[in-house]
Amino acid sequence: MTLLDVKKVSKVYADGTVALKDVTFQIEKGEFIVVIGPSGAGKSTLLRSINRLVDSTSGEIVFKNEDIMKVRSSKLRKLRREVGMIFQGFNLVERTSVINNVLHGRLGYMNSFKGFFSLFSERDKQEAKQLLHRVGLGSQMYKRADELSGGQQQRVGIARAIAQKPDLILADEPIASLDPVSSETIMEHLYTICQEDGIACLCNLHQVDVAKKYANRIIGIHAGEKVFDGKPEELTDEMIELIYHGTQKENANEKELEKEKEKEMVS
Ligand SMILES: Nc1ncnc2c1ncn2[C@@H]1O[C@H](COP(=O)(O)OP(=O)(O)OP(=O)(O)O)[C@@H](O)[C@H]1O
Ligand SMILES: [Mg+2]
């Protein structure tokens, strides 16, 4: 079943920057897709257009048969709870407990009165606890969020996103501020939970090796355009060169030759 249908989406920011050009792809239920590309390629813009933090300039984005560009008020609220977000900087409420941060994932389901007074149901609380156990933070529930390490905070970020019971998770460089070991833990948790719960994930990453390890499918973006969409094993060195430098194979070889010559000069 197609969960998300992105059709010829372009984004031109107010200052004229073209961040996305005619980007088209679909996401099926439960797919784990990693988006790679150089800085400024448009990865964040792509994710933000999907949950309407950014309004795309043209094209169509259909999520669960709903044209997301047209949704307003209650339908926008529904979209925001069905699409979970995980951020590079974790975006936790630092001065409140870990479990309360996870419970914040339930706010989209509550009326504003209950939400304002944090009147979470017993069931929500039990589920939040279970989620924290799943990400290995069962013993940290009542600590203040800012007492945790970066890697632990991001695990809270994952638990909060899952508490929303989303169909799709958008993760914008979830491991960019973490060390390699914490990064590995985060990717394992994110991947495993998404697979177990049948949640699709679109994850921006800078690390090609991590992308290859976890992705069912990789999308490569260069200067706002999708230049690669395939299985990890199809991501050859030439393709990586194309994604990161926008050069075709011949040029890539030229670059290699240049590098070789440079090496010869200094050796
Ligand atoms: N609010 C904005 N106004 C104008 N231009 C913007 C805005 N946000 C992003 N851009 C520009 O749009 C382009 C794409 O930016 P985007 O943040 O989507 O790239 P990215 O692939 O996520 O980069 P990075 O890997 O550095 O996070 C860049 O040229 C950026 O400068
Ligand atoms: Mg970005």
Side-chain angles (χ1 to χ4, degrees):
M1 179 193 116
T2 300
L3 185 68
L4 181 80
D5 198 354
V6 176
K7 297 184 215 172
K8 291 176 90 59
V9 166
S10 297
K11 172 65 188 176
V12 184
Y13 283 107
D15 65 355
T17 306
V18 181
L20 294 175
K21 274 184 238 167
D22 276 347
V23 173
T24 296
F25 64 93
Q26 283 90 36
I27 299 183
E28 305 296 317
K29 189 180 182 317
E31 263 189 302
F32 198 94
I33 302 178
V34 174
V35 181
I36 57 170
S39 186
K43 304 181 295 298
S44 296
T45 304
L46 176 64
L47 258 58
R48 293 169 144 261
S49 332
I50 294 170
N51 71 353
R52 285 276 304 275
L53 286 172
V54 161
D55 280 325
S56 47
T57 316
S58 60
E60 207 181 338
I61 302 178
V62 180
F63 177 71
K64 292 170 74 177
N65 296 323
E66 192 93 57
D67 180 347
I68 69 124
M69 314 250 197
K70 297 205 181 101
V71 301
R72 304 263 174 280
S73 54
S74 69
K75 279 194 172 166
L76 185 58
R77 215 166 110 92
K78 186 165 171 279
L79 172 78
R80 293 257 163 86
R81 69 176 186 239
E82 289 174 352
V83 179
M85 274 297 265
I86 295 174
F87 307 88
Q88 175 179 342
F90 324 131
N91 289 15
L92 301 183
V93 184
E94 296 189 335
R95 287 157 55 180
T96 186
S97 66
V98 164
I99 183 141
N100 275 341
N101 270 279
V102 178
L103 283 165
H104 279 175
R106 299 302 301 161
L107 286 175
Y109 288 93
M110 295 158 75
N111 65 39
S112 45
F113 177 82
K114 284 193 170 170
F116 184 79
F117 291 104
S118 299
L119 300 173
F120 299 105
S121 69
E122 207 41 51
R123 187 169 161 192
D124 284 347
K125 288 180 195 164
Q126 286 310 323
E127 284 183 359
K129 285 181 191 173
Q130 259 173 20
L131 273 171
L132 283 166
H133 281 291
R134 284 175 81 187
V135 296
L137 292 177
S139 58
Q140 317 280 334
M141 275 178 212
Y142 301 106
K143 278 195 180 167
R144 256 172 63 145
D146 58 3
E147 290 176 57
L148 302 188
S149 70
Q152 290 173 327
Q153 290 195 32
Q154 192 59 299
R155 281 190 261 161
V156 180
I158 295 174
R160 179 182 55 191
I162 305 287
Q164 281 177 230
K165 299 200 194 319
D167 296 295
L168 173 67
I169 283 188
L170 304 172
D172 197 356
E173 302 201 25
I175 57 172
S177 16
L178 302 176
D179 63 82
V181 176
S182 308
S183 297
E184 183 87 358
T185 313
I186 289 302
M187 289 309 293
E188 282 291 343
H189 280 300
L190 184 58
Y191 181 78
T192 309
I193 290 194
C194 284
Q195 295 295 297
E196 285 173 356
D197 293 11
I199 301 168
C201 183
L202 189 65
C203 176
N204 289 347
L205 287 180
H206 266 290
Q207 303 85 337
V208 175
D209 52 332
V210 182
K212 279 189 157 184
K213 182 165 174 192
Y214 292 97
N216 306 138
R217 192 172 135 206
I218 294 174
I219 290 178
I221 300 197
H222 179 86
E225 286 182 84
K226 187 181 88 169
V227 293
F228 177 82
D229 188 343
K231 295 199 176 78
E233 55 270 27
E234 291 165 345
L235 186 71
T236 57
D237 289 349
E238 285 80 16
M239 278 300 162
I240 294 172
E241 185 68 22
L242 176 67
I243 296 165
Y244 282 91
H245 301 288
T247 46
Q248 296 294 343
K249 203 178 168 194
E250 297 95 282
N251 295 345
N253 283 343
E254 244 171 61
K255 275 206 162 159
E256 282 300 305
L257 278 176
E258 262 174 44
K259 271 190 209 151
E260 286 301 313
K261 278 186 196 157
E262 277 172 18
K263 273 186 208 154
E264 276 168 24
M265 282 172 78
V266 292
S267 64

